[in-house]
């Protein structure tokens, strides 16, 4: 309870999550919050490798006892988030190492602990390293934020990141009784895939994260006020004169394509500035 963990115990839903991910023997799967290892067991049957990250000492011991002898299993007894907002470096390093060895995809398949879900998903979507697909269960309110359209109260940074960089699919509704202990809220199962047609370069991801976080931190201010505080005068003037954005709007009025175009323009500006002779 201290870590916001509720264990998915419905076997049909567990198998549905694994099937939705399309895991193969060449893939390394990141599982966050394996608990007693019910989902882990399903993943080990199909994955090339399972990297499980468990913060709880007792549960880490259970997983180590159940799966520690498997060459396809690695357990990190750690918090997946460093400083509650960034993926722990050892998690990314282990994921990259296993992916290189297998030659397949790095993906997430997990029943996410509620407290870690939102920052973890943002980090994986915005990571320079491609982690896709992401198949997961979350509280229904987090799922609603992921798919929210512009202008509503549910629309925020995670909506922008998820929709600007990939596509979302709802897999199933998950009722409280599918978990132990049963939470007091509904949950949902989703899949997110990074955009294969036009993948975002790391520099664009970084710019998108920077400008979205900065503006939504002051969502009652207009885009004009937010960008004037965030950018230098020449960068702000470039955006103001471009005409693609109504700077009198507040952040929640801009759709994901507009945010993405804004990030791309900022990266182009920075690239031009760095290549100009001094």
């Amino acid at each position: 309870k201290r870590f916001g963990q509720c264990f998915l115990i419905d076997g049909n839903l567990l198998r549905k999550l694994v099937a939705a991910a399309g895991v193969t023997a060449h893939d390394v799967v990141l599982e966050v919050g394996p608990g007693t290892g019910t989902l882990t067991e399903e993943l080990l049957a199909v994955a090339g490798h399972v990297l499980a990250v468990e913060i709880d000492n007792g549960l880490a011991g259970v997983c180590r006892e159940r799966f520690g002898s498997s060459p396809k299993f690695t357990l990190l007894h750690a918090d997946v988030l460093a400083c509650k907002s960034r993926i722990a470096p050892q998690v990314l390093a282990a994921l990259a190492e296993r992916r290189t060895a297998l030659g397949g995809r790095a993906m997430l398949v997990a029943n996410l602990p509620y407290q870690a879900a939102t920052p973890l998903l943002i980090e994986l979507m915005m990571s320079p390293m491609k982690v896709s697909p992401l198949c997961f269960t979350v509280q229904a309110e987090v799922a609603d934020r992921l798919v929210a359209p512009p202008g509503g109260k549910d629309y925020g940074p995670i909506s922008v990141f998820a929709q600007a960089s990939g596509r979302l699919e709802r897999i199933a509704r998950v009722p409280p009784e599918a978990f132990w202990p049963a939470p007091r809220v509904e949950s949902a199962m989703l899949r997110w895939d990074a955009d294969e047609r036009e993948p975002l370069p790391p520099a664009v991801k970084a710019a998108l994260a920077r400008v979205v976080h900065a503006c939504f931190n002051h969502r009652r201010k207009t885009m004009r006020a937010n960008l004037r505080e965030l950018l230098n005068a020449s960068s702000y003037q470039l955006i103001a004169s471009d005409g693609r954005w109504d700077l009198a709007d507040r952040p929640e009025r801009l759709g994901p394509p507009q945010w993405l175009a804004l990030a791309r323009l900022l990266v182009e500006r920075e690239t031009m500035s760095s290549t100009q002779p001094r």
Side-chain angles (χ1 to χ4, degrees), residues 95 99 105-107 124 127-132 194-196 205:
L95 195 60
R99 182 187 63 177
R105 299 170 296 175
M107 63 171 65
L124 290 173
S127 172
M129 183 176 80
K130 181 182 176 183
V131 183
S132 176
D195 193 339
E196 299 288 349
K205 284 186 175 182

Side-chain angles (χ1 to χ4, degrees), residues 157-203:
I158 195 169
S159 318
V160 176
F161 299 141
Q163 296 171 41
S165 59
R167 67 182 188 278
L168 283 158
E169 174 189 357
R170 287 185 184 265
I171 300 168
R173 184 186 71 86
V174 187
E177 57 268 25
F179 297 93
W180 182 87
R184 296 180 180 179
V185 295
E186 294 282 328
S187 299
M189 195 176 284
L190 294 92
R191 171 172 170 150
W192 174 89
D193 288 88
D195 193 339
E196 299 288 349
R197 297 164 301 172
E198 195 175 0
L200 298 187

